């Protein structure tokens, strides 16, 4: 029988690996690379794309949008160094210090991290409004609660607009 294996992942600690991964993330996902939360998810996607290269090239025609739209499949030589960096394992195999079996699917962990990131953005917005209010009070710029409510509204709308442009829930 075939047993379930972990999702493909990068094995850490090999020389030049981090630079290669960062370069490939930029090459393949250049528009969304940057936030740590995104990078972890994108690393999982990159590892899976490379790990399943043979299957994808065997099952999908050369004109398929996945093979035509992804730099890795247009130029397979880009993936060559990665085959030494990627591993999928069974629960009973040695998996190193960077991976633990928790029973929680990896996407749930990533979604939890994204939620934390969104909560941090809200805290930053509240902090900005608070600091702006303090500066206005310190300089005796009037307006009272009306001014504070207006600032709150402007900051909230700005954050919502950014989240909406990124396709995140508001």
């Amino acid at each position: 029988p075939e047993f379930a294996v972990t999702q493909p992942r990068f094995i850490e600690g090999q020389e030049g690996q981090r630079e290669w991964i960062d370069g490939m993330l930029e090459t393949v996902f250049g528009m969304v690379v940057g936030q740590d939360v995104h990078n972890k998810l994108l690393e999982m996607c990159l590892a899976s794309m490379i790990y399943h290269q043979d299957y994808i090239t065997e099952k999908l025609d050369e004109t398929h949008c996945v093979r035509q739209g992804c730099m890795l499949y247009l130029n397979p030589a880009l993936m060559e160094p990665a085959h030494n960096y990627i591993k999928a394992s069974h629960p009973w195999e040695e998996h190193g210090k960077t991976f633990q079996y928790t029973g929680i699917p990896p996407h749930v962990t990533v979604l939890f991290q994204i939620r934390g990131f969104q909560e941090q953005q809200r805290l930053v917005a509240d902090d900005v409004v608070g600091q702006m209010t303090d500066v206005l009070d310190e300089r005796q710029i009037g307006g009272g609660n009306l001014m504070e409510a207006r600032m709150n509204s402007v900051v909230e709308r700005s954050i919502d607009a950014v989240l909406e442009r990124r396709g995140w829930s508001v």
Side-chain angles (χ1 to χ4, degrees), residues 99-125:
F99 192 80
Q100 293 180 344
Y101 290 94
T102 62
I104 300 172
H107 70 279
V108 172
T109 304
V110 171
L111 291 173
F112 182 75
Q113 291 170 341
I114 290 172
R115 183 175 180 189
F117 180 68
Q118 290 172 331
E119 289 173 5
Q120 288 177 348
Q121 286 179 322
R122 289 283 175 207
L123 292 174
V124 167

Side-chain angles (χ1 to χ4, degrees), residues 1-103:
E2 292 187 28
F3 291 93
V5 296
T6 63
Q7 78 278 0
R9 66 190 181 284
F10 288 103
I11 305 166
E12 295 184 9
Q14 298 183 29
E15 187 174 332
Q17 175 189 8
R18 182 79 260 157
E19 294 79 17
W20 185 89
I21 292 171
D22 290 342
M24 283 296 96
L25 288 173
E26 189 67 38
T27 299
V28 178
F29 306 110
M31 298 292 275
V32 291
V33 171
Q35 300 294 332
D36 286 340
V37 172
H38 291 135
N39 285 359
K40 291 175 185 175
L41 181 60
L42 295 176
E43 277 187 31
M44 290 170 52
C45 292
L46 181 64
S48 184
M49 291 167 68
I50 294 167
Y51 184 82
H52 295 101
Q53 173 192 8
D54 293 338
Y55 180 84
I56 289 171
T57 54
E58 176 187 322
K59 298 291 183 183
L60 301 179
D61 187 72
E62 285 185 28
T63 59
H64 192 280
C65 63
V66 169
R67 292 192 57 191
Q68 289 296 308
C70 179
M71 183 60 72
L72 288 176
Y73 299 117
L74 288 173
N75 185 1
L78 291 173
M79 291 189 260
E80 286 306 315
H83 293 290
N84 297 325
Y85 301 155
I86 297 174
K87 180 179 183 178
S89 60
H90 293 96
W92 55 86
E93 294 176 337
E94 180 64 36
H95 51 267
K97 298 177 183 174
T98 60
F99 192 80
Q100 293 180 344
Y101 290 94
T102 62

Side-chain angles (χ1 to χ4, degrees), residues 123-135:
L123 292 174
V124 167
D126 292 344
D127 189 42
V128 167
V129 169
Q131 289 183 25
M132 289 171 59
T133 302
D134 291 346
V135 168

Side-chain angles (χ1 to χ4, degrees), residues 108 150 154:
V108 172
R150 175 75 177 124
V154 168

